[in-house]
Each structure stands twice: as structure tokens, then as C-alpha cells.
Amino acid sequence: MDRASSPSQAPHRAGFACFVGRPNAGKSTLTNALVGTKVAITSNRPQTTRHTVRGIVHRPDAQLVLVDTPGLHKPRTLLGERLNDVVRTTWAEVDVIGFCLPADQKIGPGDKFIAKELAGIKKTPKIAIVTKTDLVDSKQLAEQLIAIDQLATELGFEWKQIVPVSAVGDKQVSLLADLIAPLLPESPPLYPEGDLTDEPEQIMVAELIREAALEGVRDELPHSIAVVVEEMLPREDRPKDKPLLDIHANVYIERPSQKGIIIGPKGARLKEVGMKSRKHIEALLGTPVYLDLHVKVAKDWQRDPKQLRKLGF
């Protein structure tokens, strides 16, 4: 091995990793903690990540591209089936898979369902990531670590690593990156320094609006919201030092009865959604934004292939 002759110059590595786990296992929060900025949409509603948001972690020795897939689940709709196909394709193409299991919840049927799927993917190294460790004591954590180890043994594969982390408390997050880096192939960086995601800006803006729209909405709405950014244009006739970006976006729901929930009494809720998402959008794009939001009904869009296409799925 000629590499041993120059130990000081370890080769640069770069590649793709994805976090899997049942809905709400802390995948998006972990992606954001690793990248150090808000790229994936985080929400305490299951099934909110629809687009493959990639966060990019730049390190001197490695570049880690995080592919955030939707949670794998038993599909009930056409959208559900498409999401599951996306997941399996992604798993086969990445260099490392991190399986997120919350420390505060016993391993359930959903976890076993995913672990079984993982056992079928032979070549890709798998890391078990125990999330939300800030919510348990050391005894509970130890029990969870043993259970996770046994899960792999029962299914006939082994974890490359089992890592407890708390993205919220920022515990062991950089250790996780240290452990993933050596599993990536030798390669120059895949993205320019400074890039944090390769999602088109419009999709990220739509995701930020959707995240704000999901907050505080009653349980019947989480899957029924889609956001499409119709246009993003710099306002004309603005002085150079005071630019303004006009963003026009539609929030789509499935039934007229849902309209009132999103808009709120006297439009208060929609206003709140606009204010919240505008702050995040301005931080993302680095420019003042005028946000124009409209709520529209796209009847039963989750079951209609034509509408799914129109809304970007």
C-alpha cells in the first residue's frame, strides 16, 4: 500500500449519505445540525419531507452530501407509493445509510419494517444513529443500544457503528460526521465550497412556506398541503442598495373546507405563515422579500397523477 508511506496526507473523500427512519425519528433535525444551517424542513408532523433536500457538509478531509429521503412507510395512496420508490432508489445509490432510531421510543414494527429493507441492501455500510438522547437517562440509553445491536443480528447484518446523538443539544453531531467520513469513497469535493444544498431555490422557498403552514395546524392537514412558488422576480426600479425580491406562491389544499383552517379568522393564520416563512426565506436568500401567498383548492391532489405532476411529485 503506497498510502502508508505518506500518512500525513490522507486522501480526500466525498460521497453521499442518507438518513432513514420512521417518520419523526429526527432525520431532518440531524441534517440541519450537521450542515449547520436550515436546509431540510423540520416539523413535528410525520411525513413532511417530500423533496430530496441535500445538505452538504464541508470538512478539510471530506465532503459529505446528505440526501434526505421521505420516511418509508406502508403506502395508502399513489403519492405514498411514489415516495417509497424514491426511498429504495436512493438507498441503492448512496455510500452510507444512517438509520435514525429515537432513544425515547422502543423499537416498533415501523423500525423492523425498515431494518428488514436495509438487510436486503447488502453492499452499503449502515450506521445506527440513536437520536433524541437528551430525552432519556443513561440506563434507558444503554437498553436502546443493546436492542438496536440485536435488531441487526436477528436480521443477519451488522452496523458499522452505533452512535448516540442529540441534534438539539448538539451532542456527538460532529463525531457522527467523523465516523461517516472514512466510509466515503476517495474523491475530490463534488460541490463548490460554500454550497449547502443543490435544491433549486424555488423548491427550498416552497418548503419553508410549507413548514410554516404546517405549524399548529390540526391533525387533518399535514399531508394535504403542497406549495408551489409561481415566480420569484427582483422588483424593478429599486435602488441598487435596496433590492426587493417579489415571491408569488400558492398554498394548495385538497378540500374547500380546509381553506378556513389555513387562512384563519380574518386571515390571521395566513399572515402568520407569511411572516414566519419570510424571515427564513430572507435568511436563505440574503435579500429582503415581498411574499404574496394565495390558498387554492386542488381537489384530492394526492390521488391524481396529473395534479401530482403539476405540484412537482
Side-chain angles (χ1 to χ4, degrees):
M1 289 283 287
D2 54 2
R3 210 182 308 159
S5 61
S6 62
S8 60
Q9 251 338 93
H12 187 279
R13 295 177 178 274
F16 295 84
C18 76
F19 295 144
V20 304
R22 62 188 149 94
N24 215 3
K27 302 182 290 288
S28 296
T29 309
L30 188 57
T31 300
N32 291 339
L34 274 164
V35 177
T37 182
K38 198 176 177 79
V39 288
I41 140 175
T42 55
S43 155
N44 55 6
R45 306 216 158 275
Q47 261 327 99
T48 49
T49 311
R50 291 224 186 100
H51 290 287
T52 309
V53 178
R54 297 176 178 81
I56 302 164
V57 183
H58 301 275
R59 298 161 54 99
D61 59 331
Q63 188 181 67
L64 171 59
V65 184
L66 299 167
V67 187
D68 200 20
T69 56
L72 191 77
H73 57 101
K74 296 201 165 68
R76 286 192 296 273
T77 59
L78 180 63
L79 174 66
E81 280 171 38
R82 288 213 184 153
L83 290 177
N84 278 358
D85 291 343
V86 169
V87 175
R88 290 195 186 91
T89 322
T90 306
W91 289 7
E93 290 167 356
V94 297
D95 301 299
V96 181
I97 299 172
F99 184 12
C100 295
L101 296 122
D104 63 331
Q105 295 162 36
K106 284 207 169 6
I107 292 172
D111 300 316
K112 289 180 178 155
F113 175 70
I114 294 169
K116 240 193 219 105
E117 292 275 335
L118 284 181
I121 295 171
K122 298 284 184 237
K123 287 201 183 91
T124 317
K126 301 169 233 346
I127 291 180
I129 303 165
V130 189
T131 58
K132 309 187 184 186
T133 55
D134 50 305
L135 302 178
V136 297
D137 59 25
S138 52
K139 180 174 171 289
Q140 236 179 315
L141 180 57
E143 285 166 7
Q144 187 71 324
L145 294 173
I146 293 165
I148 290 169
D149 191 35
Q150 280 170 346
L151 179 66
T153 311
E154 281 163 26
L155 292 167
F157 70 94
E158 62 179 87
W159 304 113
K160 278 275 184 238
Q161 304 277 355
I162 301 179
V163 196
V165 301
S166 164
V168 176
D170 201 17
K171 285 199 185 70
Q172 307 237 83
V173 173
S174 57
L175 170 70
L176 177 62
D178 294 343
L179 294 170
I180 293 174
L183 300 173
L184 303 174
E186 290 182 23
S187 156
L190 303 166
Y191 290 88
E193 181 75 52
D195 278 13
L196 294 172
T197 172
D198 74 347
E199 280 290 291
E201 282 177 346
Q202 257 168 276
I203 289 182
M204 290 192 67
V205 167
E207 284 288 88
L208 288 170
I209 296 169
R210 201 164 81 90
E211 177 178 20
L214 279 171
E215 250 174 62
V217 158
R218 291 211 303 278
D219 294 337
E220 68 266 34
L221 275 187
H223 304 295
S224 309
I225 298 176
V227 175
V228 176
V229 172
E230 297 296 336
E231 58 177 19
M232 288 170 47
L233 294 169
R235 176 85 56 97
E236 288 180 10
D237 311 328
R238 294 283 293 196
K240 268 273 187 290
D241 56 342
K242 289 195 177 156
L244 183 67
L245 187 66
D246 284 316
I247 299 180
H248 300 278
N250 291 326
V251 178
Y252 287 96
I253 45 178
E254 294 195 291
R255 293 190 296 283
S257 61
Q258 297 169 334
K259 218 169 172 171
I261 300 174
I262 289 284
I263 292 171
K266 295 192 175 155
R269 205 155 177 284
L270 191 62
K271 228 190 223 117
E272 177 77 2
V273 170
M275 274 163 32
K276 268 203 180 122
S277 52
R278 198 183 74 234
K279 269 215 302 268
H280 288 310
I281 292 165
E282 291 182 338
L284 172 77
L285 302 178
T287 178
V289 160
Y290 169 78
L291 183 58
D292 177 40
L293 284 183
H294 292 274
V295 180
K296 299 195 167 185
V297 179
K299 212 166 147 33
D300 290 331
W301 64 264
Q302 295 193 55
R303 296 172 192 283
D304 175 350
K306 267 220 298 289
Q307 304 236 45
L308 279 172
R309 270 202 302 279
K310 186 181 131 193
L311 299 175
F313 298 110

